[in-house]
Amino acid sequence: AVERKTTPPNLAAAVQSVRDWFEAGELRHVAREADRVLPRMLDVVSESHGSLNVNDALVVVLQRDGLIERFATFDDRFDQVAGLKVIR
């Protein structure tokens, strides 16, 4: 990574939080969905003129399909996608 935090979070607590969310059904692994929606992901990459990569595009497509309600990001490149629901 180009940028590193000088005061990283408590890793054990962060990992436990993610485990808790997963066990509560609040997280879903979506990588398997990529095969199904790859053509639409590439459309999103093209529409963004390459500012969104295929991973970003997967999130966009899955939200459009209703599989992701909201997602957290500090990436302002998602601002160009109309109607996207982002937590900041």
Side-chain angles (χ1 to χ4, degrees), residues 9-72:
N10 178 332
L11 182 59
V15 168
Q16 187 58 51
S17 291
V18 173
R19 286 183 198 277
D20 293 344
W21 295 333
F22 181 75
E23 290 171 5
E26 296 176 22
L27 291 179
R28 178 177 176 190
H29 191 260
V30 296
R32 288 172 273 200
E33 300 287 338
D35 288 338
R36 179 178 66 81
V37 299
L38 181 61
R40 292 171 46 218
M41 291 165 53
L42 296 175
D43 291 343
V44 170
V45 171
S46 293
E47 290 164 7
S48 74
H49 304 285
S51 67
L52 296 178
N53 63 34
V54 292
N55 293 319
D56 299 334
L58 176 59
V59 174
V60 171
V61 169
L62 293 179
Q63 189 175 94
R64 288 177 177 169
D65 285 355
L67 296 174
I68 296 174
E69 182 180 337
R70 299 176 300 157
F71 66 98

